[in-house]
Short mmCIF file of all heavy atoms in Angstrom, two decimals:
data_model
loop_
_atom_site.label_atom_id
_atom_site.label_comp_id
_atom_site.label_asym_id
_atom_site.label_seq_id
_atom_site.Cartn_x
_atom_site.Cartn_y
_atom_site.Cartn_z
N VAL A 80 -3.10 3.33 -3.96
CA VAL A 80 -2.55 3.20 -2.61
C VAL A 80 -2.79 1.80 -2.07
O VAL A 80 -3.92 1.31 -2.05
CB VAL A 80 -3.17 4.24 -1.67
CG1 VAL A 80 -2.68 4.02 -0.24
CG2 VAL A 80 -2.81 5.64 -2.13
N GLN A 81 -1.72 1.18 -1.62
CA GLN A 81 -1.80 -0.17 -1.08
C GLN A 81 -0.69 -0.39 -0.07
O GLN A 81 0.46 -0.01 -0.29
CB GLN A 81 -1.70 -1.19 -2.20
CG GLN A 81 -1.90 -2.62 -1.74
CD GLN A 81 -1.87 -3.61 -2.89
OE1 GLN A 81 -1.55 -3.26 -4.03
NE2 GLN A 81 -2.20 -4.86 -2.61
N LEU A 82 -1.05 -1.01 1.05
CA LEU A 82 -0.09 -1.38 2.09
C LEU A 82 -0.29 -2.85 2.41
O LEU A 82 -1.40 -3.26 2.75
CB LEU A 82 -0.29 -0.54 3.35
CG LEU A 82 -0.18 0.98 3.21
CD1 LEU A 82 -0.59 1.66 4.51
CD2 LEU A 82 1.24 1.37 2.83
N VAL A 83 0.76 -3.63 2.32
CA VAL A 83 0.67 -5.07 2.54
C VAL A 83 1.70 -5.49 3.57
O VAL A 83 2.91 -5.40 3.33
CB VAL A 83 0.88 -5.86 1.24
CG1 VAL A 83 0.75 -7.35 1.52
CG2 VAL A 83 -0.13 -5.43 0.19
N GLU A 84 1.22 -5.96 4.72
CA GLU A 84 2.10 -6.40 5.80
C GLU A 84 2.42 -7.88 5.67
O GLU A 84 1.62 -8.66 5.15
CB GLU A 84 1.46 -6.15 7.17
CG GLU A 84 1.06 -4.71 7.44
CD GLU A 84 -0.42 -4.48 7.23
OE1 GLU A 84 -1.03 -5.19 6.38
OE2 GLU A 84 -0.99 -3.61 7.91
N SER A 85 3.57 -8.26 6.22
CA SER A 85 3.95 -9.66 6.28
C SER A 85 4.95 -9.85 7.41
O SER A 85 5.51 -8.88 7.92
CB SER A 85 4.55 -10.14 4.95
OG SER A 85 5.73 -9.43 4.64
N GLY A 86 5.18 -11.09 7.79
CA GLY A 86 6.19 -11.41 8.78
C GLY A 86 5.69 -11.77 10.15
O GLY A 86 6.48 -12.14 11.03
N GLY A 87 4.40 -11.69 10.38
CA GLY A 87 3.85 -12.05 11.67
C GLY A 87 3.92 -13.55 11.91
O GLY A 87 4.16 -14.33 10.99
N GLY A 88 3.70 -13.94 13.15
CA GLY A 88 3.73 -15.34 13.49
C GLY A 88 3.83 -15.56 14.98
O GLY A 88 3.64 -14.64 15.77
N LEU A 89 4.13 -16.79 15.36
CA LEU A 89 4.27 -17.17 16.76
C LEU A 89 5.74 -17.19 17.15
O LEU A 89 6.58 -17.77 16.45
CB LEU A 89 3.66 -18.55 16.99
CG LEU A 89 3.82 -19.17 18.37
CD1 LEU A 89 3.08 -18.33 19.41
CD2 LEU A 89 3.32 -20.60 18.37
N VAL A 90 6.05 -16.56 18.27
CA VAL A 90 7.42 -16.51 18.76
C VAL A 90 7.40 -16.60 20.28
O VAL A 90 6.45 -16.15 20.93
CB VAL A 90 8.12 -15.21 18.29
CG1 VAL A 90 7.45 -13.98 18.87
CG2 VAL A 90 9.60 -15.23 18.64
N GLN A 91 8.44 -17.18 20.85
CA GLN A 91 8.54 -17.30 22.30
C GLN A 91 9.01 -16.00 22.93
O GLN A 91 9.68 -15.19 22.28
CB GLN A 91 9.51 -18.42 22.68
CG GLN A 91 9.03 -19.80 22.29
CD GLN A 91 9.95 -20.90 22.78
OE1 GLN A 91 11.07 -20.64 23.20
NE2 GLN A 91 9.47 -22.12 22.74
N PRO A 92 8.66 -15.77 24.20
CA PRO A 92 9.16 -14.58 24.89
C PRO A 92 10.68 -14.50 24.81
O PRO A 92 11.37 -15.50 24.98
CB PRO A 92 8.68 -14.78 26.33
CG PRO A 92 7.46 -15.62 26.19
CD PRO A 92 7.76 -16.57 25.05
N GLY A 93 11.18 -13.30 24.55
CA GLY A 93 12.60 -13.10 24.38
C GLY A 93 13.09 -13.27 22.97
O GLY A 93 14.24 -12.94 22.66
N GLY A 94 12.23 -13.76 22.10
CA GLY A 94 12.58 -13.98 20.71
C GLY A 94 12.47 -12.73 19.87
O GLY A 94 12.15 -11.65 20.36
N SER A 95 12.72 -12.89 18.57
CA SER A 95 12.71 -11.78 17.63
C SER A 95 11.85 -12.08 16.42
O SER A 95 11.63 -13.25 16.06
CB SER A 95 14.13 -11.45 17.17
OG SER A 95 14.96 -11.05 18.24
N LEU A 96 11.40 -11.02 15.79
CA LEU A 96 10.58 -11.13 14.60
C LEU A 96 10.75 -9.85 13.80
O LEU A 96 10.92 -8.77 14.38
CB LEU A 96 9.12 -11.33 14.98
CG LEU A 96 8.18 -12.11 14.06
CD1 LEU A 96 8.69 -13.53 13.85
CD2 LEU A 96 6.79 -12.14 14.67
N ARG A 97 10.70 -9.95 12.47
CA ARG A 97 10.75 -8.76 11.64
C ARG A 97 9.52 -8.67 10.76
O ARG A 97 9.22 -9.60 10.00
CB ARG A 97 12.00 -8.74 10.75
CG ARG A 97 12.18 -7.39 10.03
CD ARG A 97 13.45 -7.31 9.21
NE ARG A 97 13.32 -7.99 7.93
CZ ARG A 97 14.08 -7.74 6.87
NH1 ARG A 97 15.03 -6.81 6.95
NH2 ARG A 97 13.91 -8.42 5.76
N LEU A 98 8.83 -7.56 10.85
CA LEU A 98 7.66 -7.30 10.03
C LEU A 98 8.04 -6.44 8.83
O LEU A 98 8.94 -5.61 8.91
CB LEU A 98 6.58 -6.58 10.83
CG LEU A 98 6.13 -7.24 12.13
CD1 LEU A 98 5.00 -6.42 12.76
CD2 LEU A 98 5.68 -8.68 11.89
N SER A 99 7.34 -6.65 7.73
CA SER A 99 7.57 -5.87 6.53
C SER A 99 6.26 -5.26 6.05
O SER A 99 5.20 -5.85 6.23
CB SER A 99 8.15 -6.74 5.41
OG SER A 99 9.39 -7.29 5.76
N CYS A 100 6.36 -4.09 5.45
CA CYS A 100 5.21 -3.43 4.87
C CYS A 100 5.60 -2.91 3.50
O CYS A 100 6.40 -1.98 3.39
CB CYS A 100 4.73 -2.28 5.75
SG CYS A 100 3.43 -1.26 5.01
N ALA A 101 5.05 -3.53 2.47
CA ALA A 101 5.28 -3.08 1.10
C ALA A 101 4.24 -2.03 0.75
O ALA A 101 3.04 -2.29 0.81
CB ALA A 101 5.20 -4.26 0.14
N ALA A 102 4.71 -0.85 0.39
CA ALA A 102 3.83 0.29 0.16
C ALA A 102 3.84 0.75 -1.29
O ALA A 102 4.79 0.50 -2.03
CB ALA A 102 4.22 1.45 1.06
N SER A 103 2.77 1.43 -1.68
CA SER A 103 2.71 2.02 -3.01
C SER A 103 3.71 3.16 -3.11
O SER A 103 3.87 3.95 -2.18
CB SER A 103 1.31 2.55 -3.30
OG SER A 103 0.35 1.52 -3.23
N ARG A 104 4.37 3.26 -4.23
CA ARG A 104 5.36 4.30 -4.44
C ARG A 104 4.77 5.70 -4.30
O ARG A 104 5.44 6.62 -3.86
CB ARG A 104 6.00 4.14 -5.83
CG ARG A 104 7.15 5.10 -6.10
CD ARG A 104 7.71 4.90 -7.49
NE ARG A 104 8.23 3.56 -7.67
CZ ARG A 104 9.46 3.17 -7.36
NH1 ARG A 104 10.31 4.05 -6.83
NH2 ARG A 104 9.84 1.93 -7.56
#
């Protein structure tokens, strides 16, 4: 079992961001 997040960062108010989580099958 493993969960790995990615996609975080700095963004201005009103902006957009997409997070990803790669999971064990």
